[in-house]
Amino acid sequence: MAAYTGMTVGTPDGSPVFFRPDMWMLDSAKQYIVLPGFCDVHVHFREPGFSYKETVRTGTAAAARGGYTAVCTMPNLNPVPDRAENLRPQLEAIRNTALIGVYPYGALTVGEKGERPAALEELAPSVIAFSDDGKGVQSESMMRELMTEAKRLGKIIAAHCEDNSLLRGGYIHDGAYAKAHGHRGICSESEWGPIARDLKLAKETGCAYHVCHISCRESVELIRRAKADGVDVTCETGPHYLLMDDSDLEEDGRFKMNPPLRSPEDREALLEGLTDGTVDMIATDHAPHSAEEKARGLQGSAFGVVGLETAFPVLYTGLVKTGVITLTRLTELMAGAPRRRFGIPEEKNSFSVWDPGAEYEIDPGEFLSKGRATPFEDRKVSGRCMLTVREGQEVYRYGKAD
């Protein structure tokens, strides 16, 4: 692999750099954007336990293709990393096969069952934060205990907020599409109800609290108020929640994720939160499944879509080129803010090079991830990653065989 040293990415105010990098053997007639390596604090690489869906190797290859040089992996694995012994297989896979920086989460509760606290103190030195992602902690007293311990350990709790008692077998948003097509819906309160509870507990305990993948307008408003009240809270949302809503749904498993695509009004509230600073960062919730698991329509398919290879192009096209936010703001949402909040260091000589003029349709057949299910399939976008470098080492180059 080629080595790159002594690179400076960005100007003192954080603005991207535009120039022609002949030294990288790219087309000298084009002007490229050089950006810091992105950081995604919410991905699923499925190893150990579900390597048929994704591995650390394929997941980090996909991340590098998307311009990422750091990711944080969620703990819904087998074994669940709820103690040091169960974390070791993942750490070994990361050490031996990762192409970029991978920072694992530790589970909040044993087996992510919400019944007993995981060995948080034992895990703390080796994990980036704690989460039971994929499952909400149902008990208020359990969450209070977990927050108290996380505060003592100086660790963030990243919460998947979902009240199981309100799900009622739903699998898409309880909105216009569900009603028109006879589907069972998931109400927004199943998300914002637990957020309201946890914000109260975060204020009480002083725990650093991060809300995963918010999707509805009530969640935005609750977090906005909590920040004004001094609660130590941040949140993320995903590209699909910012660029799509339930009016875009089709009878296809590639549109099924949890939380679901909400209403157009919810999407507008998320965009407002993005522009006023309530929404701190964008994370993909990259969640690969096998083709069979995603081929059973909206009702029968597994929850989850992939996003690492499409995030920047769809956001650049849908938000920057349309004037919703600036490129500098998008870079902050995808690189600066997640690193600062989770204490992930800026890597030296790490960056991605983009051709902003490249126009193409998203083709899942080109993905390096094992997962192919994306709601952005066939969407026309601008912006192609030409090169990703981490710590001076080339980890992705467009057109180069793996």
Side-chain angles (χ1 to χ4, degrees):
M1 290 187 176
Y4 303 84
T5 58
M7 295 304 306
T8 300
V9 179
T11 59
D13 67 355
S15 301
V17 176
F18 294 79
F19 64 107
R20 296 174 180 171
D22 298 338
M23 63 173 287
W24 295 328
M25 296 178 289
L26 298 175
D27 185 348
S28 61
K30 290 186 176 182
Q31 192 174 59
Y32 297 96
I33 308 171
V34 183
L35 299 174
F38 302 142
C39 176
D40 192 332
V41 300
H42 192 145
V43 304
H44 300 264
F45 283 173
R46 310 299 193 194
E47 183 181 10
F50 308 96
S51 294
Y52 71 95
K53 300 174 189 272
E54 191 80 289
T55 64
V56 170
R57 180 71 178 193
T58 59
T60 55
R65 184 173 184 255
Y68 290 88
T69 56
V71 294
C72 303
T73 49
M74 287 299 179
N76 45 347
L77 303 167
N78 187 16
V80 172
D82 51 16
R83 53 196 173 106
E85 180 182 353
N86 289 349
L87 180 64
R88 288 191 191 107
Q90 187 184 178
L91 293 177
E92 182 178 355
I94 292 168
R95 183 169 55 251
N96 292 335
T97 65
L99 296 172
I100 63 170
V102 178
Y103 301 85
Y105 281 87
L108 274 171
T109 65
V110 175
E112 289 195 313
K113 295 180 179 179
E115 298 169 355
R116 292 182 292 127
L120 303 188
E121 184 170 13
E122 184 179 302
L123 288 164
S126 302
V127 299
I128 195 65
F130 297 115
S131 181
D132 267 5
D133 187 61
K135 298 181 181 179
V137 175
Q138 303 301 302
S139 164
E140 180 172 339
S141 61
M142 173 60 67
M143 183 57 95
R144 179 183 287 108
E145 180 180 350
L146 294 166
M147 284 190 174
T148 300
E149 180 66 356
K151 168 65 174 177
R152 185 182 73 83
L153 295 170
K155 289 289 184 180
I156 293 171
I157 283 182
H160 174 109
C161 292
E162 187 170 41
D163 183 340
N164 293 348
S165 71
L166 297 176
L167 297 180
R168 304 185 183 103
Y171 44 87
I172 63 171
H173 176 57
D174 187 17
Y177 188 94
K179 292 176 175 62
H181 295 82
H183 290 296
R184 290 193 297 277
I186 300 174
C187 67
S188 296
E189 188 178 356
S190 65
E191 172 181 309
W192 65 256
I195 292 175
R197 178 202 71 184
D198 287 356
L199 290 170
K200 178 186 70 173
L201 295 175
K203 183 176 182 180
E204 175 187 321
T205 62
C207 174
Y209 178 62
H210 178 79
V211 191
C212 296
H213 46 48
I214 66 169
S215 67
C216 61
R217 56 189 181 275
E218 295 91 346
S219 299
V220 177
E221 183 57 27
L222 283 166
I223 293 164
R224 182 181 287 122
R225 292 177 185 173
K227 287 186 172 188
D229 194 31
V231 178
D232 186 1
V233 58
T234 53
C235 68
E236 68 190 50
T237 194
H240 37 285
Y241 304 120
L242 294 166
L243 298 170
M244 306 184 82
D245 54 59
D246 68 346
S247 69
D248 295 301
L249 287 172
E250 298 177 18
E251 295 295 310
D252 191 313
R254 68 190 177 91
F255 291 90
K256 185 177 181 182
M257 70 287 291
N258 190 24
L261 295 174
R262 302 285 187 186
S263 71
E265 294 77 17
D266 291 307
R267 186 175 73 86
E268 287 302 318
L270 290 167
L271 289 170
E272 183 180 346
L274 201 72
T275 56
D276 72 12
T278 302
V279 177
D280 299 273
M281 62 196 76
I282 297 174
T284 65
D285 192 7
H286 176 86
H289 295 286
S290 69
E292 180 185 1
E293 290 168 324
K294 294 299 289 182
R296 302 167 187 161
L298 288 174
Q299 181 174 353
S301 293
F303 285 107
V305 295
V306 295
L308 285 167
E309 295 170 80
T310 59
F312 182 81
V314 298
L315 292 165
Y316 175 71
T317 305
L319 299 184
V320 176
K321 292 190 71 176
T322 57
V324 176
I325 59 174
T326 65
L327 180 56
T328 299
R329 174 65 175 151
L330 181 58
T331 304
E332 164 69 4
L333 291 161
M334 296 183 68
R339 288 182 186 274
R340 286 196 305 276
R341 176 56 164 170
F342 284 80
I344 298 169
E346 293 279 356
E347 305 125 329
K348 293 182 178 180
N349 304 316
S350 298
F351 54 91
S352 56
V353 180
W354 293 81
D355 179 357
E359 295 185 346
Y360 58 98
E361 292 183 354
I362 290 175
D363 177 5
E366 298 177 351
F367 288 175
L368 299 183
S369 169
K370 287 187 177 184
R372 298 289 189 270
T374 170
F376 297 114
E377 182 175 351
D378 296 331
R379 178 171 290 214
K380 188 174 182 178
V381 295
S382 297
R384 189 190 301 280
C385 186
M386 304 303 295
L387 180 72
T388 304
V389 173
R390 179 178 185 262
E391 296 183 342
Q393 296 298 313
E394 182 180 309
V395 290
Y396 172 78
R397 176 183 287 272
Y398 174 67
K400 182 178 179 180
D402 187 19

